[in-house]
Amino acid sequence: MSRKRIAVVATIYRYLSHAQHFADRFMVGYPYGGKWHHPDMDVVSLYVDQKPEGDQSADRAREFGFDVYPTIAEALRCGTDKLSVDAVLIIGEHGEYPNNDKGQKLYPRYDFFKECVQVFEEDGRAVPIYNDKHLSYSFDKAKEMVDDGHRLDFPILAGSSLPVTWRLPDVELEKGCEVSEALMVGCGGSDPMDYHALEAMQCMIERRKGGETGVKQVQMIEGDDVWKALDEGRFSRRLLEAALSRSDTPCGKTDEDGRTQDLLGNGELPVLVEKPAAYFIEHNDGLKTTLLMLNGAIKDFCFACEADGEVVSTQFFLSPTPNVTYSACLVAKIEEMIETGAAPFPAERTLIVSGALESCLTSKVEDHKTLETPHLSVVYEAPDESQHARF
């Protein structure tokens, strides 16, 4: 059987960019399951939108014997007059692009995707697409992308590494369980890191009884209003304690002299977090979820929920740079889609997270008001297994 051929469509390709993390692994292999794995497929073409200082695209092309093309269509056709690849990786992360008034980086993922779809339509054949992280900053554009996949019958895998990385402890919610409330804590800037946190929470709560039903309303609040919401019981103190207790990176006094500390119980949380943010998301089936972005208190991503009457919590493990081995967990899923022709989890997960984040950021710029979100009626079933890496 001939080896699968991959086209990479990227914003940039340089050290520690997402394109470098993902495409390199298809070229040289990656560690997975305690051994070195060489994918039975090849990167055969590359399109790069920007080439800043440190660009690696030409070097990779020389080393691994492929061409860097000036357009996406040429990269997919490999210089011929027809589609000449078996899969496309769209890596639209990093690079110099403008922000909108909500603070969203306007990466051209939708535009890249639509150029691929145009080739599919013109050449009468479609192939699997992996789209890194958000489908788009715009829910309408993201929905069009998912609809294109259904219309032309090609699989789309999208999202980030958090849903498929290792978990500490290794927990999996039973599919069909009763989830009464869920909470996520994370860190980093908006909108790249809050996306990670929301998607990690989504991959857990989608396993609840009835599956995902869509989002009814959202609100984002900031500053002292977050602590007031905690005192008023708007989100669970017990779940926040459970999530924080899974963190391996408490800041403050732990950084100073190594002492362990109860960030919630000792009153340090409001001291350490100068600009807290809370994202409140209510789903159509009544489930209420909360994301807390706690910069200054922790440096990892932790989840807690009440499922079947018990508190369940875990940390989504992120291994350090430069190897960021958790990216290999996602590459393994991309490889699976290319081999089987089926995405291991639905693109609707990324669709609903993309839309919920956009609406939360709209709430932020509209005086933190609660917004009804009838357009986020995204309904889907979780895969039978969580698809995360195991120790």
Side-chain angles (χ1 to χ4, degrees):
M1 181 181 293
S2 60
R3 294 169 64 87
K4 300 286 188 179
R5 296 163 52 86
I6 301 171
V8 176
V9 175
T11 47
I12 68 172
Y13 200 125
R14 67 179 178 188
Y15 177 60
L16 295 185
S17 69
H18 282 204
Q20 185 250 314
H21 284 317
F22 290 103
D24 276 11
R25 286 180 163 86
F26 282 99
M27 298 175 200
V28 302
Y30 54 91
Y32 196 68
K35 60 183 179 180
W36 195 265
H37 172 71
H38 290 276
D40 189 24
M41 51 193 68
D42 301 303
V43 173
V44 297
S45 63
L46 174 62
Y47 167 81
V48 182
D49 193 45
Q50 298 178 0
K51 296 182 180 180
E53 184 178 356
D55 172 67
Q56 297 175 324
S57 61
D59 288 342
R60 290 296 191 272
R62 277 193 300 269
E63 183 176 356
F64 294 98
F66 58 83
D67 290 322
V68 181
Y69 290 93
T71 69
I72 291 174
E74 288 174 280
L76 267 60
R77 293 177 174 130
C78 297
T80 72
D81 60 356
K82 64 180 181 179
L83 180 65
S84 300
V85 297
D86 302 300
V88 182
L89 309 186
I90 297 177
I91 316 294
E93 183 82 356
H94 303 123
E96 295 299 321
Y97 297 93
N99 288 359
N100 63 14
D101 62 347
K102 301 173 191 176
Q104 295 173 290
K105 183 77 73 174
L106 303 183
Y107 288 119
R109 300 178 181 119
Y110 167 83
D111 306 278
F112 287 1
F113 187 95
K114 295 300 288 187
E115 289 192 51
C116 294
V117 168
Q118 182 176 346
V119 171
F120 295 171
E121 292 176 322
E122 290 175 354
D123 295 2
R125 184 170 74 92
V127 299
I129 289 181
Y130 167 68
N131 184 94
D132 187 34
K133 289 189 68 176
H134 318 48
L135 287 160
S136 173
Y137 54 85
S138 158
F139 176 78
D140 289 340
K141 290 181 176 180
K143 186 176 185 302
E144 184 179 338
M145 294 164 73
V146 173
D147 289 345
D148 279 341
H150 292 309
R151 177 173 60 86
L152 297 179
D153 194 28
F154 65 90
I156 301 171
L157 186 64
S160 75
S161 301
L162 263 72
V164 296
T165 191
W166 302 273
R167 298 173 186 173
L168 302 174
D170 187 357
V171 299
E172 178 176 56
L173 295 182
E174 182 179 350
K175 191 173 180 182
C177 65
E178 297 276 358
V179 178
S180 55
E181 185 178 359
L183 179 143
M184 188 84 192
V185 295
C187 60
S190 182
D191 72 332
M193 305 314 289
D194 45 13
Y195 173 84
H196 277 297
L198 288 172
E199 188 181 46
M201 181 161 60
Q202 184 64 31
C203 81
M204 303 296 284
I205 64 172
E206 69 187 15
R207 302 185 65 75
R208 68 192 185 274
K209 184 178 180 180
E212 183 51 63
T213 59
V215 172
K216 178 182 179 181
Q217 64 180 26
V218 305
Q219 183 187 20
M220 181 179 171
I221 63 174
E222 299 175 285
D224 288 342
D225 287 342
V226 174
W227 311 128
K228 292 176 183 177
L230 173 60
D231 291 339
E232 294 167 358
R234 187 167 180 189
F235 55 93
S236 168
R237 181 177 291 269
R238 181 171 67 152
L239 291 185
L240 177 54
E241 179 182 357
L244 289 173
S245 296
R246 294 299 184 188
S247 173
D248 283 320
T249 59
C251 303
K253 293 177 181 177
T254 303
D255 288 333
E256 293 171 11
D257 60 17
R259 78 182 71 185
T260 57
Q261 54 177 328
D262 177 3
L263 290 174
L264 185 59
N266 68 4
E268 282 290 291
L269 207 55
V271 177
L272 294 173
V273 186
E274 295 181 359
K275 297 180 179 179
Y279 301 60
F280 297 114
I281 300 174
E282 182 177 345
H283 294 252
N284 288 331
D285 59 1
L287 175 65
K288 294 182 178 180
T289 64
T290 303
L291 164 62
L292 298 174
M293 295 298 284
L294 302 178
N295 293 333
I298 60 168
K299 299 177 183 177
D300 44 22
F301 294 83
C302 302
F303 168 83
C305 74
E306 183 170 327
D308 292 333
E310 296 184 359
V311 173
V312 178
S313 59
T314 191
Q315 176 194 141
F316 290 82
F317 179 66
L318 299 179
S319 46
T321 55
N323 284 341
V324 290
T325 311
Y326 56 86
S327 291
C329 301
L330 184 50
V331 171
K333 297 303 172 183
I334 301 170
E335 188 179 347
E336 178 183 332
M337 176 185 66
I338 296 171
E339 289 286 6
T340 65
F345 46 86
E348 280 77 6
R349 174 196 293 167
T350 310
L351 175 62
I352 196 170
V353 173
S354 300
L357 176 56
E358 179 194 20
S359 293
C360 284
L361 296 177
T362 302
S363 169
K364 174 184 176 180
V365 300
E366 294 185 2
D367 200 27
H368 304 95
K369 67 183 180 182
T370 299
L371 299 177
E372 301 294 321
T373 54
H375 63 292
L376 297 183
S377 295
V378 179
V379 178
Y380 72 93
E381 282 284 331
D384 289 339
E385 295 184 1
S386 292
Q387 305 291 320
H388 68 282
R390 309 284 181 161
F391 289 101

